[in-house]
Structure formats: structure tokens, C-alpha cells
């Protein structure tokens, strides 16, 4: 299947929780990073968020368990939808693309409603088939991350995408944070290009 979205020459910048739960800090990240990357005129710059609907994503019995590092991280860096809308507006004003990683099905609907340009499926979600089914119902182009997946796992994701008619690319990712240079496994990019010659292969760098 020929891709409708041109995935070539993308630079994807992950904001994740780097905004530290501060709208002003998030705006500063976007504005200052935009100044750095605007010299790369041959590339499409994409700012990427992550969405979790925390009221339902965190189990009710653990919402106040700040001893759990992930609950603490997500709770303390929480932004509301109107905050994300301000950040998204800034990205558009600066002339960049936008993407978002959903970690639950409800977030896909929010991403669609807000008008993001792309969806990103995280490595940990590539075998979350209820989420994958909801992603397949979206009209958005998708980047799938391959970190932690076996070759048979990747084959299943590719087959799923083709059967669902998803417009997608595949991202080589090593799920180590940070990734030592000697662990980047860049030869995997060539392997994936040979195995899936009709796909654009992207590299997720965590070093």
C-alpha cells in the first residue's frame, strides 16, 4: 500500500512530560527548540505529545500512591486539555507538524478532536490490540515504534496495518533510556528497510 502521508525527512521532537506540568515551560520548550530546528529547511519538524486520560488510566486504588514512580510522574506533570490546546496552537503558529502518542483508547478520540497531524504508537502499546483497533479507526497517519518487539511481533504489526488500511511508517527503537551508543543497533534500520522495502523506516534516538 502506498503511503498518503510523506514520512520522509521527519524530525520528531518528543515533549512527553518534559513540560514538568507547566504550560509556560512547555511553551518555552516549543519556542526555543523551534529556533534551533528551523535551519533544517529540508526536514518536517514534528512536536509530539503523550496523552493518558489519568482519571481512568490510573486505577482508582492507586491514584494517591505517589510511592509508585509512574503514578507520581504522571500526576505531578499533569496538564489539562486546554493547556495542550495552547501548546498545539503554538506549534501550528510556528509552522510545525504535531503528533501525539495515546496510551488508551479514549486518548485517540481526543487526538482526533484536537486535530493533530499524526498518531504515534509507543513500543509498549504495539501489542495492545484494543488500542491498536481504535488507532486503526482513525483517519490519521501513524508511526509505530518497534522497541522491545521481536521480528514476529513486528511482522504482526505490519500485517495488521496492511489489513486495516493504515497509512503508517515503522520506527526503529531501542527501549533503553538513555541508550549507550554501542547499543543503538543501527544495523537494524537496514534490516527493516530490506524486510519492508515499501515502508519508511524512522529512527528513535534515546542516547
Amino acid at each position: 500500500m502506498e503511503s498518503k502521508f510523506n514520512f520522509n525527512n521527519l524530525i520528531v521532537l518528543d515533549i512527553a512530560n518534559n513540560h514538568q506540568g507547566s504550560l509556560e515551560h512547555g511553551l518555552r520548550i516549543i519556542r526555543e527548540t523551534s529556533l534551533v530546528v528551523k535551519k533544517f529547511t529540508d526536514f518536517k519538524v514534528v512536536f509530539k505529545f503523550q496523552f493518558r486520560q489519568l482519571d481512568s488510566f490510573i486505577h482508582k486504588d492507586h491514584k494517591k500512591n505517589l510511592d509508585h514512580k509512574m503514578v507520581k510522574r504522571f500526576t505531578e506533570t499533569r496538564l489539562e486539555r486546554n493547556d495542550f490546546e495552547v501548546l498545539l496552537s503554538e506549534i501550528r503558529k510556528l509552522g510545525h507538524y504535531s503528533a501525539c502518542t495515546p496510551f488508551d483508547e479514549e486518548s485517540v478520540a481526543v487526538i482526533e478532536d484536537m486535530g493533530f497531524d499524526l498518531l504515534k504508537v509507543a513500543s509498549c502499546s504495539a501489542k495492545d490490540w484494543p488500542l491498536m483497533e481504535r488507532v486503526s479507526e482513525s483517519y490519521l497517519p501513524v508511526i509505530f515504534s518497534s522497541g522491545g518487539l521481536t521480528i514476529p511481533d513486528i511482522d504482526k504489526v505490519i500485517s495488521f496495518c496492511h489489513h486495516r488500511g493504515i497509512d503508517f511508517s515503522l520506527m526503529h527503537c531501542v527501549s533503553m533510556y538513555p541508550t549507550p551508543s554501542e547499543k543503538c543497533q543501527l544495523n537494524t534500520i537496514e534490516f527493516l528497510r530490506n524486510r519492508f522495502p515499501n515502508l519508511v523506516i524512522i529512527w528513535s534516538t534515546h542516547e
Side-chain angles (χ1 to χ4, degrees), residues 45-95:
V45 175
V46 183
F47 283 90
K48 186 182 76 65
F49 301 130
Q50 296 181 359
F51 279 1
R52 301 167 182 85
Q53 304 308 305
L54 295 180
D55 291 337
S56 55
F57 187 81
I58 300 174
H59 192 279
K60 60 182 177 64
D61 293 341
H62 296 277
K63 290 185 184 296
K64 296 183 179 180
N65 181 16
L66 299 185
D67 291 332
H68 190 295
K69 66 177 183 179
M70 302 310 288
V71 173
K72 177 178 173 65
R73 173 188 170 202
F74 297 152
T75 300
E76 292 183 348
T77 61
R78 178 172 185 155
L79 289 177
E80 300 302 328
R81 172 166 171 168
N82 61 317
D83 296 318
F84 283 113
E85 287 175 341
V86 172
L87 295 173
L88 181 58
S89 177
E90 187 69 16
I91 290 168
R92 290 171 175 155
K93 185 174 74 174
L94 293 169

Side-chain angles (χ1 to χ4, degrees), residues 3 7-8 10 119-123 126 132 141-147 149-151 153-159 161-162 166-173 188-189 191-204:
S3 178
F7 290 99
N8 288 293
L10 291 184
L119 271 168
K120 161 74 168 29
V121 173
S123 303
M132 292 281 281
V142 182
I143 298 172
F144 287 93
S145 184
S146 64
L149 299 182
T150 65
I151 298 304
D153 289 335
I154 294 174
D155 287 342
K156 289 178 183 177
V157 170
I158 299 300
S159 177
C161 291
H162 283 315
I166 299 173
D167 186 13
F168 74 103
S169 67
L170 183 65
M171 176 178 280
H172 165 57
C173 173
T188 303
I189 296 174
F191 171 81
L192 293 172
R193 289 178 66 187
N194 290 331
R195 191 173 185 87
F196 309 110
N198 296 322
L199 283 184
V200 174
I201 307 299
I202 302 174
W203 176 35
S204 178

Side-chain angles (χ1 to χ4, degrees), residues 90-118:
E90 187 69 16
I91 290 168
R92 290 171 175 155
K93 185 174 74 174
L94 293 169
H96 302 304
Y97 287 83
S98 60
C100 192
T101 300
F103 286 92
D104 47 25
E105 293 94 315
E106 186 180 351
S107 290
V108 180
V110 175
I111 291 167
E112 292 170 337
D113 190 51
M114 289 179 65
F116 280 85
D117 298 305
L118 297 110

